[in-house]
Amino acid sequence: MTVAYWVVAALLAVFYLYAGGKKVLQSQERLRPMMGWVDRVPMPLVRVIGTLEVLGAAGLVLPPLTGIAPWLAVAAAIGLVLIQVGGIAVHVSRGEARLIGLNIALLVAAAGAAGLGTTWL
């Protein structure tokens, strides 16, 4: 279970550091080709989402790695599940239901990390 958690957590952390970092650092024009939804969401909210994704990535890895408040990893995973629920809602509201595959995969992976984290952390 420990190995499974670390594999899932590491993959999620890499993804969310990249995706969240882009949302935090790049302009709306640079994000638009990859994330069409940034036109309908205020940029301060896009920055908040990116910040939450980066914090979630850190939360998956740092608490169990340091042994300080490892339960925060489970909280981070649940937070990432909620981010994906919001992402699915945005895509569906825009008539982009065919684009939610990645959101569902990330939601399942984050839920898996939360479940694995409760078994050994």
Side-chain angles (χ1 to χ4, degrees), residues 89-113:
V90 167
H91 282 304
V92 169
S93 73
R94 290 174 44 95
E96 302 171 338
R98 69 191 193 303
L99 298 178
I100 64 172
L102 177 60
N103 298 93
I104 291 171
L106 291 168
L107 186 148
V108 169

Side-chain angles (χ1 to χ4, degrees), residues 17-88:
L17 279 174
Y18 175 75
K22 287 182 87 59
K23 290 178 187 100
V24 169
L25 299 173
Q26 290 189 342
S27 67
Q28 186 176 32
E29 292 76 30
R30 299 252 344 243
L31 291 172
R32 191 176 298 121
M34 291 180 4
M35 304 171 202
W37 56 270
V38 299
D39 285 340
R40 290 187 50 195
V41 176
M43 276 311 285
L45 181 56
V46 173
R47 303 274 189 239
V48 167
I49 293 167
T51 301
L52 291 173
E53 289 176 346
V54 170
L55 291 173
L60 287 173
V61 176
L62 294 178
L65 198 60
T66 62
I68 299 170
W71 59 269
L72 286 174
V74 175
I78 292 168
L80 293 173
V81 166
L82 295 175
I83 286 174
Q84 290 311 315
V85 168
I88 290 168

